[in-house]
Amino acid sequence: MSATLPARLRLPSPPPTSAPPPPADALKPVNRLPLLVAGLGSAALAAYVWWQHGAKQGVLLLLGLGLGLALFHSRFGFTSAWRQLVAVGNGTGLRAHALLLGTTATLFALIIGTGTGLFGSTPAPSDGDLGVALLAGAFLFGIGMQLGGACASGTLFAIGSGQSAIVLTLGGFIAGSILYTWQFDLVKDLPAVPGVVMSEHIGWFGSWAVTIAALAAVAALTRVIQKRRNPPPVGTVPTARGPLRIVRGSWPLLAGALVLAALGGAVLLVSGGAWGITSAFALWGAKFLQLIGLQPETWTYWEAPRQAAQLAGPVLADKTSLTDIGIMLGAAVAAAASGAWTLHRDIPARTAAAAVLGGILMGIGARLAGGCNIGAYLAGIASGSLHGWLWGLVALGGTFVGLRARSLFGLANPAPRDSVC
């Protein structure tokens, strides 16, 4: 009998690229001091949060640490994936998104569909209204993440790994969030209709089936695009081999998607809500304003019961702040263990300006749309909510504009003749 499987049983071959991926550089030695500081800091903070605020908050911080480790080791990006697809047609990153979204949707259907929660939580889907704010916010976010060089999750894990320019992006993110909350009255009544959550109409199994079918179609479309455009390959990251690769190397992108989905499902299980990122930036900005004697609590945005309770409580009791801080610390541990932790001291002025402007656009956009690439795109699609799909489509449109705006700041985009994208 032939050793070759019948064609119908073979996995599809990878779409072509213009050349094989280049060999990875040699793995660098462990960054011992950053690893010691990040490791001890993570342990101390986890112990303090657990003791001061309870097991639920302690677990959320630990889940954030895991998310940071997975994001860094797999270099799981949203900004780069969309840039590669739009600029040169490489759909590798977007197919990883499809796996992350599909796996998360499966876990959400199981958890929410059965009403399973820990620490007394009741899991609920992430939904959002469909209207002008969603469309404008997603479009601004798509532009901003190309100028800022990272999305919401990417900003946090890049900071953890020592990328100094992204600190400016985070500063802009917080500033944009402050601007939105300050001027909330201008946008709170923009036209919108109630959102659509598929499980309310066709049940959780039906919602899951439609979501998986749509994601499969997206993955298939990226393969067609990639075959036609024959893009450069994605660069190769230095890595260890064997079991040591878990802590000192690059994880396959698809492995990162599965780990992130599992950790995101755990956040829902523990807290009752999906993993999110950007609401914490508004909170941090408001806390800073209070620290310097201003009164953001009098603004309309912070008078709503949910936001008022968030602002009144400590940062280390806030779910989203805990996972955000955990991501930065986890990424620092992962980067130092991989020998990749480094501070970038020389930041060109135009790069710094783009980082701040991109952060501001993302801060405003995320609050307008009710979430970012995690809180709206990932959580929305995984919940079977139409607003997540609309966010993704419009943010992809913003990416087209963002790529063109990058040239104004001297920032490069992938090109068909590059050796890697």
Side-chain angles (χ1 to χ4, degrees):
M1 185 174 65
S2 172
T4 303
L5 287 172
R8 67 180 182 277
L9 298 180
R10 294 180 207 153
L11 292 174
S13 59
T17 53
S18 59
D25 294 334
L27 193 65
K28 295 182 179 179
V30 174
N31 303 120
R32 296 183 183 276
L33 181 58
L35 179 60
L36 181 65
V37 172
L40 291 178
S42 299
L45 183 61
Y48 173 80
V49 169
W50 204 294
W51 170 68
Q52 190 70 24
H53 300 292
K56 179 179 179 179
Q57 280 71 27
V59 170
L60 286 169
L61 178 62
L62 293 177
L63 290 173
L65 288 165
L67 288 165
L69 287 164
L71 284 164
F72 179 82
H73 278 306
S74 62
R75 308 306 199 271
F76 201 96
F78 293 82
T79 302
S80 58
W82 288 356
R83 184 187 305 149
Q84 291 160 3
L85 179 71
V86 172
V88 294
N90 195 321
T92 303
L94 202 61
R95 288 191 293 278
H97 290 191
L99 179 61
L100 170 61
L101 289 161
T103 307
T104 305
T106 302
L107 294 174
F108 275 30
L110 292 172
I111 294 169
I112 305 174
T114 60
T116 304
L118 300 178
F119 300 102
S121 64
T122 302
S126 294
D127 60 354
D129 291 341
L130 311 176
V132 173
L134 172 65
L135 301 178
F139 189 73
L140 289 176
F141 196 97
I143 298 171
M145 67 182 186
Q146 296 303 330
L147 291 177
C151 56
S153 53
T155 294
L156 296 176
F157 92 74
I159 288 174
S161 63
Q163 296 185 38
S164 310
I166 305 299
V167 175
L168 299 175
T169 303
L170 178 60
F173 230 134
I174 295 172
S177 301
I178 291 173
L179 286 171
Y180 174 86
T181 55
W182 174 41
Q183 294 297 323
F184 178 65
D185 287 327
L186 296 178
V187 297
K188 66 178 183 178
D189 295 320
L190 290 175
V193 297
V196 177
V197 178
M198 289 190 289
S199 62
E200 296 176 357
H201 303 277
I202 56 177
W204 274 107
F205 179 78
S207 173
W208 172 83
V210 170
T211 299
I212 296 299
L215 291 170
V218 169
L221 179 60
T222 66
R223 295 179 68 86
V224 171
I225 293 171
Q226 187 162 331
K227 185 175 181 179
R228 288 182 177 178
R229 297 186 64 180
N230 194 32
V234 177
T236 308
V237 178
T239 185
R241 300 296 177 186
L244 195 59
R245 187 175 184 180
I246 297 173
V247 294
R248 255 185 69 71
S250 169
W251 298 356
L253 195 58
L254 300 184
L258 294 174
V259 174
L260 289 171
L263 291 169
V267 170
L268 174 67
L269 195 64
V270 169
S271 68
W275 172 30
I277 288 180
T278 53
S279 67
F281 299 160
L283 175 64
W284 298 353
K287 290 285 191 181
F288 172 75
L289 294 180
Q290 289 180 326
L291 190 64
I292 62 175
L294 300 180
Q295 297 178 313
E297 67 273 11
T298 63
W299 301 348
T300 303
Y301 177 87
W302 292 109
E303 290 177 347
R306 181 179 176 183
Q307 282 86 353
Q310 184 187 29
L311 184 57
V315 167
L316 291 179
D318 176 58
K319 163 204 163 184
T320 308
S321 295
L322 287 168
T323 52
D324 283 3
I325 294 168
I327 288 170
M328 290 187 282
L329 289 171
V333 169
S338 299
W341 195 92
T342 182
L343 288 175
H344 301 130
R345 295 178 176 84
D346 297 324
I347 306 173
R350 288 194 296 178
T351 301
V356 173
L357 177 59
I360 290 172
L361 292 175
M362 284 192 287
I364 296 171
R367 298 276 50 82
L368 272 171
C372 59
N373 57 293
I374 301 298
Y377 175 58
L378 172 58
I381 291 177
S383 298
S385 175
L386 183 57
H387 90 287
W389 286 102
L390 283 177
W391 192 98
L393 288 171
V394 177
L396 188 61
T399 298
F400 280 89
V401 177
L403 291 181
R404 285 152 181 78
R406 283 171 62 87
S407 62
L408 301 176
F409 295 89
L411 301 174
N413 291 317
R417 295 185 180 180
D418 290 345
S419 57
V420 296
C421 65

